[in-house]
Amino acid sequence: MRAARPVLALAALLSLSGAVAADLEDLLSALRRARTFTARGQVEVTVLFPPRSTPTRTATQLPPLPVRPALLARNFTVTRSGPDRVAGRAAARFTLTPRVGDAARWTLWVDRTWNVPLAFEERGADGTLARRAALSGPPPTLARVNRPAPAAPPGLRAALTRALPGLTLPPGFVPVGAQTRAAGLEITLSDGLNVLALVIAPKNVKAAPGVAARRVGRVFVWLVGNLPPDALQAALAGVRAADPAPLSTFGAPPDVNP
């Protein structure tokens, strides 16, 4: 009997691991389908981070999520539960928990027939609600959309290392894009779902929740996003120099008609 217990424990562990992998693949399947189909209807969108004067608005479909499947699979543990109901439709609930660091946690509700998201919410590491969007009545419909999969430009991470020596990227995050904006050169960091903005700018930024900044030579470096203040500051603490030149070929101006 004693010898059988480790075997049973190992079998249970393997079964659990297989279930978690299956939950991840089910979620990724729904997110891939959301690039070509979406549920349309009455949507209530609430954004509490960053703070805004009118946090809640209405829309006709869920805001698209900035999903990068390979990073999501690497950085999150996904578990499925339910069934739940959203806008009168049967839905599976997926909980996404970061494996490292203090990134935000997510919950997504996926239609069990259409296999597309019906609702989502984002919560900070302390559990504070940052964002929620959900379909409500009347009954939604399924519509076709065109949302190409994003691709990170090759060589961006090496260029960022040369531009900001000493930068420590928050756990799980990697650079996936760059744009020249009015404030300065902005590098987008992603862990698969959460997004941070890293900015090299000629001016400082006002203190605010989710913002860290420091002067490096003649410029300022900001890091903005839903991370605890200590995590944002730690990422910038070791930056020894700031030279945007290595990133200049990546910083194309944003599309004026997105």
Side-chain angles (χ1 to χ4, degrees):
M1 289 295 294
R2 289 182 179 177
R5 289 177 182 172
V7 174
L8 292 173
L10 178 59
L13 181 61
L14 291 174
S15 176
L16 178 60
S17 176
V20 170
D23 293 345
L24 170 63
E25 184 50 44
D26 286 348
L27 176 62
L28 291 179
S29 171
L31 294 173
R32 286 192 293 267
R33 182 169 166 79
R35 298 198 182 282
T36 52
F37 290 95
T38 187
R40 283 189 176 155
Q42 181 176 307
V43 180
E44 184 175 277
V45 182
T46 298
V47 179
L48 302 175
F49 177 89
R52 55 193 64 193
S53 57
T54 306
T56 300
R57 63 181 178 87
T58 58
T60 58
Q61 64 186 48
L62 290 181
L65 292 169
V67 176
R68 294 178 181 267
L71 286 173
L72 189 153
R74 185 172 76 193
N75 291 318
F76 288 86
T77 298
V78 177
T79 54
R80 175 175 178 155
S81 57
D84 286 353
R85 296 195 72 81
V86 177
R89 295 188 61 84
R93 181 171 72 246
F94 292 88
T95 302
L96 291 77
T97 306
R99 292 177 176 166
V100 294
D102 297 307
R105 282 70 171 147
W106 289 76
T107 305
L108 276 69
W109 287 263
V110 171
D111 191 289
R112 297 184 66 176
T113 301
W114 290 341
N115 196 34
V116 297
L118 298 176
F120 64 77
E121 70 174 31
E122 172 192 356
R123 291 184 178 271
D126 62 356
T128 301
L129 180 66
R131 183 163 49 140
R132 176 187 289 133
L135 280 137
S136 57
T141 58
L142 190 64
R144 185 175 287 275
V145 293
N146 181 20
R147 296 170 178 164
L156 178 58
R157 183 161 190 167
L160 179 59
T161 300
R162 296 194 301 273
L164 295 175
L167 174 71
T168 302
L169 294 178
F173 286 87
V174 299
V176 296
Q179 286 187 335
T180 299
R181 299 189 181 274
L185 180 63
E186 179 180 312
I187 298 88
T188 301
L189 308 178
S190 173
D191 65 356
L193 191 51
N194 295 297
V195 174
L196 306 176
L198 178 66
V199 182
I200 303 173
K203 297 181 180 180
N204 203 355
V205 65
K206 292 182 180 179
V211 178
R214 60 169 300 204
R215 183 167 190 161
V216 183
R218 296 184 177 181
V219 300
F220 293 87
V221 183
W222 319 339
L223 185 58
V224 182
N226 190 9
L227 283 180
D230 290 349
L232 293 171
Q233 293 163 5
L236 303 181
V239 176
R240 302 185 299 273
D243 177 12
L247 294 163
S248 60
T249 57
F250 300 94
D255 191 341
V256 296
N257 293 304

